[in-house]
């Protein structure tokens, strides 16, 4: 069994975590190592749920906060972008950004701060990078919500070292143009559904995305075709063309309102919802969030991408994203993190919790 | 082995041919039956090439003509649209239109006219409804072109009982819009290729298709998207969108000129040719064609769809389409032919050859 040395520096610990490959579904070895390392710390009580590990202080503090991160990564590249390697001031390899840098910071805090200023629940969960039904945080929230109870949560997803509040919601719909099949040598006998989709793409390209302020943070909505398909055969006028549209909306809007907005926008076409998830309001005006922001003293912006903060939000726990690494490099073949961001993130959380 | 009775009426013979299922690749039983029936006729010399059967008179006439038709059909429906059945004045079932009605007329003429007014080559070939490389007529043209030598050819594909001269050419190209991938929550980091395809569809929908007169017949060009595809994942701005375009052009244009036309039309985009076939000029001014038109005395129009007349044209043999059945019903689940068209087609060819 692999051993994790939590007394090493955060950069070495990040590398050790990354080198213990844990593509979604294959987290067991890493979860075992995390569980073992945390169980050795007398100030924490540790619970295991599948490949999710939860460790809690229990000091009777008036406030409890969660530090959460996922153990899994997206698949490696071919040839594999592991083991990690150092390139100048950066650590390179799968997981360095998304999000074993954040996990290393969690583990360092867990080991270093035996008497934190508020009680802390550390959550290390599995299967974040795959379908929602497999998500370890969601599973614990369903089955053992008492383990997650808290006044405030920090998700250590990469934010380039800033605080990103809340997150946008997301909805996907299929917008379908219909026509009538005919031989392509005699198109006047049919109606071309792909040509019909021209107007759908026209509404998309003409759409003026709004910037919406929620709890003092500015969210940029985004409306995009993320897929398109149509055509029966090379000599047939197509009778159907489906445009898959993804709408990312500010957390002041519910997913039901987002659906209504899309139905109005694509009036005249079939609109079918394939999936939807509410966003999370940043709640930056709440005392626990204010204390966090004051202690860290780093920039605060809106989170554009949907993250598991929305799962905390659904449990009525205000949550923010804060972690090392550029989120634009998440899932990239060339994933890499500036080591200074790892060091800074650890120091920032120490300012808050020590 | 199935026996064909060529002395029966053309409607019964059509039904018998259809009921001998011969979906492309499964023509052997039908080809055997046709070969046996023709071999029994002393005025014909019969050649077999795979599942293609060729029967020729050899009377030393100054002119030789081809009557050609394919033995195969597209697949049956589920449940099968065979055996054929009579509904009022129509014969219903797979192959009634495309094109065992025409094959029945060929066989009736072959049996009934021992001393035709010009030498006749009857061609019954396989695999017309599938990829061009498998086409029996093309195979014989490559390997034994002397068997096809003639002054004029009639392809008995369905024309609703009129004469349809020549055929349009066809070319398919893939027109590609390119973009840059990004997370769909932060589209400003990328370029949406599907949105980029809006302009491609715009050029298609704005295109004014011309009507072009060739050798006295009017061909309607047609420019259509027949396929579209794009998208990487539901949360990714797509970096590529491919529109498959089919251009049907008058036979006064070569496929090389058609390609040039499309490259100009889609300037600024990648244009890749996937397949192209020249059309066939109708050649209605040629003496053999004039004699055919005069004898039949039926309407003469341009053939819109590409047919194997272009293969005769490529061998420098002028060719027309003439056969029973509405071409718009070809391949339809509800394929059906008015029996009067079968009777009329046989009578028309008898006026020419008897």
């Amino acid at each position: 069994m692999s051993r994790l040395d939590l007394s090493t520096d955060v950069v070495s610990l990040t590398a050790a975590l990354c080198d213990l490959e844990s593509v979604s579904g294959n987290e067991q070895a890493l979860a075992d190592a995390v569980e073992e390392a945390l169980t050795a710390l007398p100030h924490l009580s540790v619970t295991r749920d599948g490949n999710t590990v939860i460790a809690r202080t229990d000091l009777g503090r008036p406030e409890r906060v969660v530090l959460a991160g996922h153990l899994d990564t997206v698949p490696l590249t071919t040839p594999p972008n592991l083991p990690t390697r150092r390139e100048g001031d950066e650590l390179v390899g799968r997981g360095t950004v998304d999000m074993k840098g954040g996990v290393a910071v969690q583990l360092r805090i867990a080991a270093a701060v035996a008497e934190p200023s508020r009680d802390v629940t550390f959550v290390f969960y599995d299967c974040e990078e795959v379908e929602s039904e497999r998500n370890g945080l969601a599973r614990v929230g369903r089955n053992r919500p008492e383990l997650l109870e808290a006044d405030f949560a920090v998700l250590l997803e990469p934010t380039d070292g800033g605080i990103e509040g809340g997150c946008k919601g997301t909805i996907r719909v299929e917008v379908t143009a219909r026509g009538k099949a005919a031989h392509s040598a005699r198109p006047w006998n049919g109606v071309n559904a792909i040509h019909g989709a021209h107007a759908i793409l026209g509404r998309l390209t003409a759409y003026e995305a709004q910037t919406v302020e929620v709890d003092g943070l500015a969210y940029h909505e985004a409306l995009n075709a993320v897929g398109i398909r149509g055509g029966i055969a090379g000599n047939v006028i197509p009778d159907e063309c489906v445009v898959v549209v993804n709408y990312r909306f500010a957390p002041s809007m519910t997913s039901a309102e987002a659906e209504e907005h899309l139905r109005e926008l694509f009036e005249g076409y079939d609109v079918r919802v394939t999936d939807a998830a509410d966003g999370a309001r940043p709640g930056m005006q709440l005392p626990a969030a204010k204390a966090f922001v004051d202690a860290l003293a780093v920039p605060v912006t809106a989170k554009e991408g949907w993250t598991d903060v929305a799962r905390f939000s659904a449990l009525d726990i205000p949550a923010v994203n804060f972690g090392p690494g550029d989120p634009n490099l998440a899932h990239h073949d060339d994933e890499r993190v500036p080591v200074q961001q790892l060091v800074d993130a650890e120091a920032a959380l120490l300012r808050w919790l020590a």
Side-chain angles (χ1 to χ4, degrees), chain A:
Chain A
M1 177 167 168
S2 297
R3 287 259 154 90
L4 292 174
D5 176 6
L6 304 191
S7 69
T8 189
D9 67 283
V10 68
V11 179
S12 302
L13 183 55
T14 300
L17 291 168
C18 292
D19 294 343
L20 234 171
E21 180 262 293
S22 59
V23 174
S24 309
N26 194 33
E27 297 94 336
Q28 185 169 346
L30 180 55
D32 288 349
V34 167
E35 182 185 7
E36 189 204 25
L38 294 173
T39 303
L41 300 170
H43 63 281
L44 294 175
S45 61
V46 178
T47 307
R48 175 84 176 241
D49 182 296
N51 285 328
T52 290
V53 180
I54 295 170
R56 300 160 54 100
T57 65
D58 208 352
L59 301 165
R61 302 282 196 246
E63 188 177 274
R64 175 174 290 280
V65 299
V66 169
L67 293 189
H70 61 84
L71 296 175
D72 60 322
T73 69
V74 295
L76 308 194
T77 53
T78 311
N81 47 358
L82 281 183
T84 49
R85 63 180 193 279
R86 185 70 178 262
E87 283 188 8
D89 295 334
E90 296 181 315
L91 185 67
V92 182
R94 177 61 77 227
T96 51
V97 168
D98 191 6
M99 56 164 283
K100 292 184 177 174
V103 170
V105 170
Q106 285 179 271
L107 288 170
R108 287 281 300 155
I109 300 290
V113 190
E115 298 198 343
S117 56
R118 46 273 286 165
D119 272 312
V120 183
T121 304
F122 298 93
V123 181
F124 304 87
Y125 62 102
D126 58 321
C127 288
E128 192 270 349
E129 298 291 5
V130 289
E131 55 274 28
S132 182
E133 304 84 69
R134 294 171 63 191
N135 185 293
L137 181 63
R139 184 179 68 245
V140 173
R142 272 195 310 272
N143 300 341
R144 308 185 67 178
E146 71 282 1
L147 285 175
L148 299 181
E149 270 171 19
D151 302 288
F152 183 62
V154 179
L155 187 63
L156 281 96
E157 288 272 11
T159 60
D160 237 349
I163 296 170
E164 295 186 345
C167 73
K168 290 191 291 201
T170 177
I171 182 171
R172 259 174 290 273
V173 297
E174 293 192 344
V175 185
T176 302
R178 301 204 186 279
K180 180 168 173 270
H183 196 288
S184 65
R186 296 179 289 276
W188 46 87
N189 292 328
V191 177
N192 192 318
I194 296 177
H195 293 197
H198 177 245
I200 296 173
L201 297 188
R203 293 185 200 181
L204 283 168
T205 54
Y207 186 76
E208 294 186 8
Q210 304 296 306
T211 299
V212 181
E213 197 173 300
V214 183
D215 299 347
L217 299 182
Y219 292 87
H220 303 90
E221 53 162 32
L223 181 70
N224 277 278
V226 291
I228 192 166
R229 61 181 190 268
I232 299 168
N235 61 352
V236 178
I237 300 298
D239 61 354
E240 185 179 282
C241 182
V242 178
V243 184
V244 184
V245 173
N246 183 212
Y247 178 45
R248 302 283 178 145
F249 49 94
S252 51
M253 186 181 251
T254 65
S255 55
E257 289 165 346
E259 178 183 341
E260 190 52 36
H261 183 55
L262 293 180
R263 289 194 184 281
E264 281 167 17
L265 189 64
F266 295 110
E267 205 186 329
Y269 297 93
D270 282 1
V271 174
R272 190 173 73 84
V273 177
T274 57
D275 66 284
D278 284 320
R281 293 187 70 106
M284 304 313 293
Q285 76 287 3
L286 302 171
K290 277 180 184 290
F292 179 73
V293 169
D294 289 348
L296 266 65
V298 299
V300 183
T301 56
K303 184 68 179 178
E304 302 288 357
W306 192 93
T307 73
D308 276 345
V309 295
R311 301 192 194 277
F312 289 107
S313 188
L315 295 169
D316 276 328
I317 304 170
V320 300
N321 306 273
F322 168 76
D326 177 355
N328 293 315
L329 292 179
H331 304 190
H332 270 238
D333 292 357
D334 192 36
E335 201 174 335
R336 56 179 61 220
V337 67
V339 296
Q340 191 60 46
Q341 286 200 3
L342 300 170
V343 173
D344 289 349
E346 181 186 6
L349 291 185
L350 283 174
R351 287 198 294 277
W352 179 46
L353 293 173

